[in-house]
Amino acid sequence: KTINAEKTETYGKSNMNYYSYVQTVFGGDDGLLGGEANDVVQTSDGVLWVGTYNGLYRYNGSEFREMNDFESVKNVNCLYCDEEGRLWIGTNDNGLAMSIENEEVNVIDTSSGLPSNSVRCITRSSDGNYYIGTSDRMIYLSLYGGLKIRGTIDEITYAHSADSDINGHVAAVSSSGNLYLIEDGHVTDKIEKAGKNEIYTCCRFDENGTLYVGTSSNHIYSFSINNGLTKKNEYKAKGIKQINAIRFDEEKHMYVCADNGIGVFDDKFEYVKLNLESFDNSIDSMTIDYQGNLWFASSRLGLMRMAKASFTDLNGLYGIKKGVTNAVAKWEGRLYIGTDTGLDVCDINTGKIINDNTTKLLKNIRIRCLFVDSKNNLWICSYGKGLLRVAPTKEIAEFDSSTGFCDWVRVVTELKDGSIVASGDIGLAYIEGGGIVNTIPYGSDLSSAMILCLLEDNGVLYAGTDGDGIL
C-alpha cells in the first residue's frame, strides 16, 4: 500500500499548526563552538545535552556550557538517554562514555573490547541490554554486575541508526543501506537495501511496535514484526530527501529529519513540510523537551529550537508570500490582506488562496486600508485605483478621479448616519446612496497635510494629519 503524502498545504485537513512556533537558531555566537550539532537529547532532570565535533554541551535554559570535565569526551557522534536518566555518549574517536548526574562514571573503548572507538548509534532493548553500533561491528552490553560486553554481532558493520520496541526487538540500519532485525543478540532477519536507487538510512519504532524506516530518497517504509520483517506501507514526503532520523511525539506525529529540511506526518499521516527559512541543511537529529519545544540538530548549521508562541504566522499558514502588510479585514469567511503589491485573499476554513476580479483589479497596487461597513460592504483604499466598494454579491463600485474623487486614497470609515467618508490626495469625500455627495479639498477648510486617520465621536469627525496635528 502506497500513501502519497505530497501536499505541503494541509490546512483544514491536518491537525498540525507549526506556524505559531518561533524559530531560534543557536550557533557559535551562542557558545556552541564550531556552529554545528550532531545530536540533541534531554535527560530526566530537564537538562538539554548537545553533542558536537567540538565536544559535549549542557544547556540549562539560558546558556551552553562545554563539559570540559568529561576527560574522555572531546567530540560526540551520538547521544542516548535511558529510562533511569543515564546519559550515554558515543564519541568519534574515544569510545563510549556514560554519565550519571552530570558526572562521567564509565568509559568503554577498544582496550576493553569495543570493536571501534567510533560509536555511531546507541539503543536499549526491553530486556535491559544496550546495543552499540560502531564504525566496525555492533556489540551489546549490560550493566548487571557492572558494565560489560555480552556479545558481538559480526553480521552488522557500521550501524549508524538503531532503535528498540517493548517486545525485545532491536532494529538497526548499516551505512551500506541494509536493515536488520535483532533478538537476544542475534540477527533474525535482514533486508538488503530499500530498492532501486535508494537505500535504508534510519529506523524508529512507534509505541505500537510498528517499525518505520527512512531512505536515501523521500520514502518511509513501515514494517510489522511477525516472525521477521513484513513491509506494510510506503509514505512519500514531497520536498524531503536523504532522511537522517525519524522521531515521534506524544500526539503520534512523526517527524522526518533530512538533508534538506524537516517534514511531519500527523496521526492520520497528513503531511506538511516545515518552513525553516535558512535552517534547511543536514538535519541529523531532534528531540522534544518537557515544555513541548522542538529541538533540531544540524551538523552544518547548529541547533534550532521551535517554541510555541501566542501568535501564528499567517503568511506561512496560508502559503502567502511575505511582504509589507498595511491592512487586514475578515469578510465573508475570508481573510483580506492589503499589501504594497496588491490584495491577498484566502478562505479561512480551507486555507485556499482566492484569485477573483478584485485581486486581479488590484494586482501590483498598494492597499492602504480595508473596512467593512454596517451593510456588509468591503471598502478598499488603494494608491492607483482609488476607493473600491465590494458588495456581498462581489459587485465592485469604483470611486476615483473619473467619478469626482481621486486615485490615491488613504483611509475610509463609516459615520453614525451610515454615510461613508474617505481621505485621499485631494482631501475628504462623503459618499451616500452609492455616490459622492460632497468633497472638502485640502487648503480650504482643511490644512494641506495629508489625512492619515479618521474618528467620529459625538457627531464630530476628527482627522489625524501627516504633520499638522488633529483637525
Side-chain angles (χ1 to χ4, degrees):
K1 182 180 179 182
T2 300
I3 301 175
N4 290 315
E6 295 190 347
K7 293 193 69 178
T8 58
E9 296 178 11
T10 58
Y11 183 78
K13 295 182 179 180
S14 172
N15 58 16
M16 300 181 295
N17 175 14
Y18 292 96
Y19 297 102
S20 61
Y21 284 74
V22 175
Q23 299 176 14
T24 304
V25 177
F26 302 92
D29 294 338
D30 305 288
L32 286 176
L33 299 181
E36 48 82 23
N38 295 326
D39 207 351
V40 55
V41 299
Q42 186 176 47
T43 44
S44 56
D45 58 2
V47 175
L48 197 77
W49 298 89
V50 184
T52 80
Y53 287 130
N54 288 287
L56 178 66
Y57 290 83
R58 183 183 188 273
Y59 182 66
N60 61 8
S62 60
E63 63 180 359
F64 293 92
R65 181 170 70 87
E66 187 177 4
M67 302 301 291
N68 292 318
D69 46 346
F70 284 20
E71 294 183 1
S72 67
V73 180
K74 302 305 178 186
N75 48 63
V76 179
N77 283 329
C78 58
L79 298 169
Y80 180 77
C81 180
D82 64 23
E83 294 178 355
E84 285 74 29
R86 290 180 289 250
L87 178 66
W88 296 77
I89 308 159
T91 72
N92 192 49
D93 58 9
N94 219 17
L96 175 69
M98 185 178 69
S99 170
I100 300 176
E101 296 182 352
N102 301 333
E103 293 185 6
E104 186 180 45
V105 295
N106 273 303
V107 177
I108 182 172
D109 55 21
T110 53
S111 65
S112 48
L114 197 66
S116 167
N117 278 335
S118 180
V119 177
R120 317 305 299 186
C121 60
I122 307 164
T123 192
R124 181 187 186 183
S125 64
S126 59
D127 61 10
N129 291 322
Y130 293 82
Y131 287 77
I132 314 298
T134 76
S135 58
D136 194 335
R137 292 162 294 164
M138 186 175 228
I139 66 163
Y140 61 105
L141 54 83
S142 72
L143 291 175
Y144 302 120
L147 182 63
K148 60 183 179 181
I149 296 175
R150 291 193 57 201
T152 302
I153 307 174
D154 294 329
E155 300 99 310
I156 305 178
T157 58
Y158 211 109
H160 61 212
S161 178
D163 195 31
S164 57
D165 65 9
I166 61 174
N167 300 311
H169 303 112
V170 174
V173 175
S174 67
S175 62
S176 59
N178 296 331
L179 172 64
Y180 298 88
L181 183 67
I182 307 164
E183 294 182 59
D184 195 24
H186 300 284
V187 174
T188 59
D189 201 359
K190 172 185 176 182
I191 300 178
E192 294 187 358
K193 302 183 180 181
K196 186 177 181 180
N197 299 323
E198 69 175 359
I199 62 174
Y200 294 120
T201 55
C202 60
C203 60
R204 178 68 59 167
F205 283 100
D206 69 8
E207 62 179 13
N208 299 316
T210 299
L211 178 65
Y212 292 83
V213 187
T215 68
S216 55
S217 63
N218 61 356
H219 294 113
I220 301 168
Y221 299 98
S222 65
F223 294 84
S224 61
I225 311 300
N226 185 15
N227 295 323
L229 295 163
T230 302
K231 186 179 290 186
K232 293 174 59 180
N233 295 324
E234 174 187 339
Y235 305 94
K236 186 177 181 181
K238 184 178 180 181
I240 293 294
K241 65 179 181 179
Q242 187 63 39
I243 299 170
N244 298 317
I246 298 171
R247 296 290 185 272
F248 292 91
D249 65 12
E250 293 181 351
E251 297 178 341
K252 300 181 180 180
H253 296 168
M254 181 171 70
Y255 295 84
V256 183
C257 303
D259 266 3
N260 65 331
I262 303 164
V264 191
F265 292 87
D266 69 7
D267 56 343
K268 297 180 178 60
F269 284 94
E270 294 287 351
Y271 171 79
V272 60
K273 186 176 184 294
L274 299 190
N275 177 15
L276 302 179
E277 297 181 355
S278 60
F279 198 88
D280 58 356
N281 196 303
S282 300
I283 316 298
D284 297 320
S285 178
M286 75 160 293
T287 194
I288 303 170
D289 67 23
Y290 68 91
Q291 293 180 319
N293 298 318
L294 311 177
W295 294 84
F296 298 94
S298 167
S299 56
R300 292 190 177 183
L301 301 176
L303 188 70
M304 182 183 72
R305 179 186 64 199
M306 291 182 63
K308 196 166 186 177
S310 301
F311 299 93
T312 298
D313 176 8
L314 295 182
N315 292 87
L317 180 63
Y318 293 119
I320 299 172
K321 184 178 179 181
K322 291 187 177 182
V324 176
T325 298
N326 301 313
V328 178
K330 182 180 177 182
W331 183 61
E332 293 289 289
R334 297 175 177 181
L335 189 67
Y336 287 74
I337 305 170
T339 75
D340 278 355
T341 57
L343 185 68
D344 293 320
V345 183
C346 58
D347 188 291
I348 294 174
N349 295 318
T350 66
K352 181 180 179 181
I353 303 299
I354 305 298
N355 289 303
D356 56 16
N357 291 335
T358 307
T359 59
K360 293 176 183 177
L361 180 64
L362 295 172
K363 184 177 181 180
N364 296 322
I365 298 296
R366 188 179 187 185
I367 310 301
R368 293 299 321 198
C369 179
L370 297 168
F371 178 77
V372 179
D373 67 19
S374 60
K375 297 179 182 178
N376 200 31
N377 296 305
L378 175 66
W379 294 83
I380 306 172
C381 301
S382 76
Y383 280 8
K385 290 290 185 179
L387 178 66
L388 282 73
R389 183 191 64 201
V390 185
T393 60
K394 303 302 183 291
E395 181 182 0
I396 301 173
E398 300 182 44
F399 303 88
D400 53 21
S401 57
S402 66
T403 60
F405 191 26
C406 60
D407 296 327
W408 286 53
V409 181
R410 179 61 183 258
V411 65
V412 63
T413 192
E414 182 178 16
L415 304 181
K416 289 184 178 180
D417 62 5
S419 61
I420 300 295
V421 59
S423 75
D425 61 352
I426 67 167
L428 289 176
Y430 289 84
I431 301 171
E432 293 180 5
I436 297 174
V437 296
N438 188 25
T439 59
I440 303 177
Y442 289 125
S444 55
D445 294 334
L446 299 176
S447 70
S448 298
M450 181 82 171
I451 294 175
L452 305 179
C453 53
L454 297 165
L455 174 67
E456 182 187 19
D457 183 55
N458 293 324
V460 178
L461 181 63
Y462 294 89
T465 70
D466 185 10
D468 205 16
I470 299 174
L471 305 178

